[in-house]
Each structure stands twice: as structure tokens, then as C-alpha cells.
Amino acid sequence: MKFAHGLLLISTAAGVTFGCAHTPPGTSVEVALAKKAELIRLPTAAEDPHLVAVKGPSKPVPAVEPELPVMEDRIEAEAEAFTRGKFAMADGKDGEAIGAFEETVKIDPTHQEAWQNLAVLYEKTGSGSKAAAAFRKSKNLARQ
């Protein structure tokens, strides 16, 4: 084993391996390598008489960090249905878009944009009375 300018040269059967060891100025490579952290294996209860073996179900360990807030299923379902409706409407699939927007307003009756899109689609498909009702609902929600 040789040290040359901060590099550790290790002789192996296959040849020489270079290992880089950062050393602060004034510190030798030997000292830097001696301070290097090493992975160790902790003793088991059978190996160390001071440790107590835990038998039976263990208690759950509390989380170190708080859990991230999870969106409610209702909100996710509403957003998914509305997005499906927007894509179907853009693709000209009026029946599919109507179904998706109806699902959206069933989940959240105060979703103004879904009511507005329903009014447009109902009018386009020839359902005048449904279009008028959806438009009134959309207009009332926009005023709030």
C-alpha cells in the first residue's frame, strides 16, 4: 500500500486500484482513512446478555415525520370526472362528455364550470329544456 499526493494505491492481484481520499491541508491520508465511518453489525439478543429479546407482536413505532395530507376520495373523483368531460368535449364525444359532467355535478352540485359545459352540450345535442336549466344553475352559481 502506497500513498501519493492524496491518493491511496492498493496493490491487488489484478493490479493497482486507485482510491480517492479527500484530506484537509495538514492532515495525512492515514489519519483521514482512520476517521472514515465504517458500517458495523449490531449484536443480537443471543450474542449480548444485556439485550432483551422482544417476543410477541411489537408496538407500532410512531412516524418520524407527519403523514402528508391525502385528498379526499370525493374531491379526487370530482376532478377525475371533470377532466374526463373536458377531454371528451374537446374530442367531440358529446355523449361521453355529458356523462362525465353529470357525474361531476352529482358529486359537487356547486361546480359552476361543469354546469356551464353541460348547458353547452345539452343545447348542442338538442335538449333545450335541460340546457336552459343547466345554464340557470351555472349563472346562479357564478353570482355567488
Side-chain angles (χ1 to χ4, degrees):
M1 198 182 309
K2 292 184 179 180
F3 297 99
H5 303 289
L7 289 178
L8 172 64
L9 302 175
I10 303 172
S11 298
T12 62
V16 177
T17 304
F18 292 91
C20 184
H22 173 73
T23 57
T27 307
S28 70
V29 175
E30 292 93 358
V31 172
L33 289 175
K35 291 182 179 179
K36 184 178 174 185
E38 294 182 23
L39 184 63
I40 60 169
R41 186 182 63 80
L42 296 175
T44 62
E47 297 171 345
D48 190 346
H50 299 290
L51 294 176
V52 177
V54 178
K55 294 183 180 176
S58 61
K59 294 180 183 177
V61 177
V64 176
E65 295 181 13
E67 291 186 22
L68 295 175
V70 179
M71 289 181 65
E72 295 178 30
D73 291 338
R74 184 186 67 79
I75 294 171
E76 288 181 14
E78 175 190 350
E80 192 271 330
F82 183 76
T83 303
R84 263 190 299 119
K86 291 294 280 187
F87 281 121
M89 190 174 178
D91 289 342
K93 300 176 182 175
D94 296 336
E96 190 177 322
I98 288 172
F101 288 130
E102 285 176 343
E103 183 181 338
T104 302
V105 297
K106 183 179 178 186
I107 296 168
D108 180 14
T110 63
H111 199 292
Q112 188 267 333
E113 193 175 352
W115 282 110
Q116 185 178 5
N117 289 332
L118 273 173
V120 169
L121 289 166
Y122 284 147
E123 184 179 11
K124 186 177 177 182
T125 58
S127 302
S129 60
K130 284 184 172 182
F135 179 72
R136 275 193 293 278
K137 182 73 174 174
S138 170
K139 189 175 175 181
N140 289 337
L141 289 170
R143 287 182 186 163
Q144 295 177 354

